[in-house]
Amino acid sequence: KQWYQRRVRGAPLRNIAAGHVAHQNNVGWDGQPFRAVDGRTNAHYNGLSCTHSAGTTDNWWSVNLGDNFHVQSVVVHNRRDCCQDRIDGAQVYVGDELCGTIQY
C-alpha cells in the first residue's frame, strides 16, 4: 500500500494521495487499486485496505495527484498477514524519477 506525502515546515506528514484516482495493471482477489488511497493503513487483506495484483511479474500501481507537488517522502505500508516478501524489489517513482527500491 502506498501513498505520497509531503512535510510542510513544522507540520506532520500529510497524505496528498488520499481520495485520488489510482490504477494498477491487473487486479486479483478484488484487490482494487483505490484501496491504497483510502486513507486507512489496515495491513491485513481482509481489512479491505490492501491492493492485490493477479500477475506475478511486471506489476505496477499508480496514483495521479492531480497537481504538482514537492514530494519529500514516500511511505509504503506493506501487508502484514502474509506474503510480505512479495514487495521486495518494488521500485518507487515520483513522476519519472526513481526514488528507491524496496528491500524486504
Side-chain angles (χ1 to χ4, degrees):
K1 175 166 189 163
Q2 327 178 34
W3 58 65
Y4 300 93
Q5 302 188 349
R6 71 176 175 152
R7 184 180 303 276
V8 177
R9 186 179 307 159
L13 289 175
R14 180 172 72 99
N15 182 352
I16 58 175
H20 284 85
V21 176
H23 302 278
Q24 63 192 52
N25 62 321
N26 57 61
V27 175
W29 295 268
D30 200 34
Q32 299 296 323
F34 71 84
R35 290 181 177 186
V37 291
D38 64 4
R40 299 179 312 122
T41 59
N42 188 320
H44 294 270
Y45 194 75
N46 289 337
L48 303 179
S49 192
C50 296
T51 68
H52 201 301
S53 64
T56 56
T57 61
D58 299 323
N59 294 308
W60 58 263
W61 177 94
S62 69
V63 62
N64 184 333
L65 300 176
D67 203 350
N68 292 321
F69 291 93
H70 172 76
V71 176
Q72 183 176 348
S73 179
V74 176
V75 177
V76 177
H77 294 272
N78 193 17
R79 227 178 132 160
R80 300 187 98 186
D81 55 347
C82 81
C83 322
Q84 293 90 338
D85 61 324
R86 291 181 185 171
I87 201 166
D88 189 49
Q91 295 181 318
V92 179
Y93 286 83
V94 174
D96 294 331
E97 184 177 337
L98 176 63
C99 297
T101 301
I102 296 174
Q103 296 177 349
Y104 177 77

